[in-house]
Amino acid sequence: MDPILIIGIAVVAAVGVIIYGVISVRSERDIIEERLGRYDEQNSSFLQLDEIVAEEPEQTSPKDSALRDRLDNIFAERTFGKRWRAQLARADLKLTVSEYAALHVISTFGFFGAGYFVLFGQQLAPALLAAFVGFFAPRIYVARLTSTRLIRFENQLPDTLGLWVNALRSGYSVLQSMEAIARDAPEPTSTEFKRVVQEVQLGIDMEDGLAHLLTRVDSEDLDLVITAVNIQREVGGNLAEILDVISHTIRERIKLKGEIRVLTAQGRITGYVISGLPIILALFLYGINPTYMGNLFENRACGWPLLGIGLALIGIGFAVVQKIVDIDI
């Protein structure tokens, strides 16, 4: 094995670990914001900011905190940083943009090391493919969390609106109704409405708090609900009746989405099988007969371009199949 390659991998991995360790240090501001996120389910009174700030946070190094904040600012000003921050918020992951970037670095070199030293017997091409997968692994994980959380929230939304309507008809205000939802609704609905209630109690306008909720939960049904609430706050009207009608509409949409998902299940599974079968078959053949498949991975002049073209075509085919079975309602 090439000693230069070993030294390069070791240096980059060490730098990645150091960067992650530095930016993972929690500053005082982050600790206060994290404590603000805690909401007492048994006590519906307003959170007292002075009491939270009065708690002595953990001591952190000013230099480490300054470096971490500087890295956060550098990443946050970029277009991808803003996109990552929105994705992390929708997945409800307590990570900063710089921590997420460091996670990409560590995951990439971790997959490369596992592929090079453990799985593929120090073959460079399969290890590079593993590193490519490792680079996108955090994004796949975040996207999966976001999708699962969004589906749960949308499935709970009709019952949430029913609870909201009953609270309004009982004489509660809009804020008190959302507080009841935050107390009685299941996750993730309770957490999201808790945040809205906290923001309003800390002085943020309700319209802005609902806009922040829509940013964290990118749902068309929720957009319809928030639009109705904002219009009612401006022009008046019976909000309970409006939300009752919207609840019925959302229930019908969820039922129709379920039927469409059942009808398109075969197409989605076909896309997964067709896309994964060539990769699994190539790895299987390489495992049982490395000599036969070795030329494909070792020949840089012909094998590597063929691998790249094959992966590109697999990705395009998978995207086309998913686009076909993705039916908007």
Side-chain angles (χ1 to χ4, degrees), residues 15-288:
V15 171
V17 173
I18 293 173
I19 292 176
Y20 181 75
V22 170
I23 63 179
S24 298
V25 179
R26 293 288 180 182
S27 63
E28 179 179 351
R29 176 184 176 184
D30 295 325
I31 295 172
I32 294 176
E33 290 180 353
E34 182 178 341
R35 291 175 179 174
L36 281 174
R38 301 172 187 168
Y39 187 85
D40 189 355
E41 297 183 358
Q42 299 178 352
N43 185 6
S44 61
S45 61
F46 288 359
L47 289 174
Q48 299 296 329
L49 179 61
D50 293 337
E51 294 179 3
I52 297 173
V53 177
E55 297 180 19
E56 183 179 359
E58 298 177 4
Q59 299 296 326
T60 60
S61 172
K63 293 183 179 180
D64 292 342
S65 178
L67 177 59
R68 179 177 175 276
D69 292 339
R70 191 177 300 111
L71 289 174
D72 284 336
N73 293 333
I74 292 175
F75 285 114
E77 292 175 357
R78 306 293 181 180
T79 303
F80 71 89
K82 297 178 182 179
R83 184 172 62 253
W84 284 359
R85 183 165 52 188
Q87 293 173 355
L88 293 173
R90 291 169 184 171
D92 195 28
L93 288 177
K94 304 301 186 294
L95 293 175
T96 63
V97 177
S98 58
E99 291 173 347
Y100 189 45
L103 188 60
H104 279 75
V105 176
I106 296 174
S107 176
T108 300
F109 286 97
F111 273 70
F112 178 82
Y116 191 84
F117 295 105
V118 179
L119 299 178
F120 303 112
Q122 299 184 358
Q123 296 292 330
L124 184 58
L128 290 176
L129 180 60
F132 180 80
V133 175
F135 178 78
F136 288 98
R139 302 190 186 190
I140 296 173
Y141 177 71
V142 170
R144 182 64 180 174
L145 283 182
T146 302
S147 176
T148 303
R149 196 166 184 269
L150 178 60
I151 292 174
R152 291 177 58 193
F153 184 91
E154 288 184 336
N155 291 336
Q156 296 170 4
L157 190 56
D159 295 333
T160 301
L161 293 179
L163 179 59
W164 200 341
V165 169
N166 294 334
L168 291 173
R169 288 174 176 172
S170 299
Y172 284 16
S173 65
V174 176
L175 182 60
Q176 290 173 335
S177 301
M178 289 192 293
E179 193 173 359
I181 295 173
R183 183 175 57 252
D184 299 332
E187 293 291 339
T189 301
S190 61
T191 299
E192 295 299 335
F193 275 88
K194 285 175 187 178
R195 293 177 181 176
V196 177
V197 172
Q198 292 168 9
E199 290 179 358
V200 174
Q201 292 171 350
L202 293 173
I204 298 177
D205 187 71
M206 182 178 293
E207 184 174 352
D208 294 334
L210 293 175
H212 297 162
L213 171 61
L214 185 60
T215 301
R216 295 189 300 268
V217 183
D218 188 15
S219 170
E220 295 181 357
D221 295 337
L222 180 63
D223 189 12
L224 180 62
V225 174
I226 292 177
T227 301
V229 173
N230 291 334
I231 292 176
Q232 189 274 338
R233 285 172 54 83
E234 293 180 1
V235 301
N238 192 338
L239 182 59
E241 294 295 334
I242 297 174
L243 294 181
D244 194 14
V245 174
I246 293 176
S247 175
H248 177 73
T249 303
I250 293 176
R251 288 183 188 275
E252 294 299 322
R253 289 185 61 180
I254 291 177
K255 185 185 301 184
L256 184 58
K257 286 181 180 179
E259 295 176 356
I260 292 176
R261 188 171 181 82
V262 171
L263 294 176
T264 59
Q266 181 179 356
R268 287 184 285 106
I269 295 176
T270 301
Y272 293 139
V273 173
I274 293 177
S275 301
L277 185 60
I279 299 176
I280 296 175
L281 181 60
L283 295 176
F284 176 74
L285 292 177
Y286 183 81
I288 62 176

Side-chain angles (χ1 to χ4, degrees), residues 282-300:
L283 295 176
F284 176 74
L285 292 177
Y286 183 81
I288 62 176
N289 194 350
T291 305
Y292 177 75
M293 294 294 294
N295 292 328
L296 184 63
F297 294 106
E298 297 173 1
N299 192 333
R300 301 185 181 182

